[in-house]
Amino acid sequence: MTTTIIEPTWTVEDVAAFLRVPVGTLYQWRHRRTGPRASKVGRHLRYNPVEVRTWLADQGAGNAD
């Protein structure tokens, strides 16, 4: 039997701490559609930790000169 563990979603503050950027930067990225994808849950933003990590890895992919 396989058990899948689902990681809880992250808040804006969680993502800001993980990426070491100000919360305001996440809101700017969201407005410009350049940051990690977020979902609205009610009136709150929530981030899938897997997608945040994937987005971060993708940011470094183009910097290998």
Side-chain angles (χ1 to χ4, degrees):
M1 183 170 142
T2 304
T3 303
T4 303
I5 298 173
I6 299 174
E7 193 172 356
T9 57
W10 289 352
T11 65
V12 175
E13 291 80 9
D14 294 334
V15 176
F18 177 76
L19 296 176
R20 296 183 181 173
V21 298
V23 169
T25 298
L26 288 175
Y27 285 115
Q28 287 177 4
W29 288 348
R30 181 169 167 78
H31 179 73
R32 295 177 186 158
R33 297 178 187 222
T34 59
R37 192 168 64 115
S39 300
K40 294 234 13 180
V41 178
R43 49 184 263 208
H44 304 282
L45 287 179
R46 293 295 182 260
Y47 292 83
N48 179 333
V50 173
E51 290 184 14
V52 173
R53 290 185 188 105
T54 301
W55 175 86
L56 180 60
D58 291 346
Q59 300 312 296
N63 295 334
D65 287 335

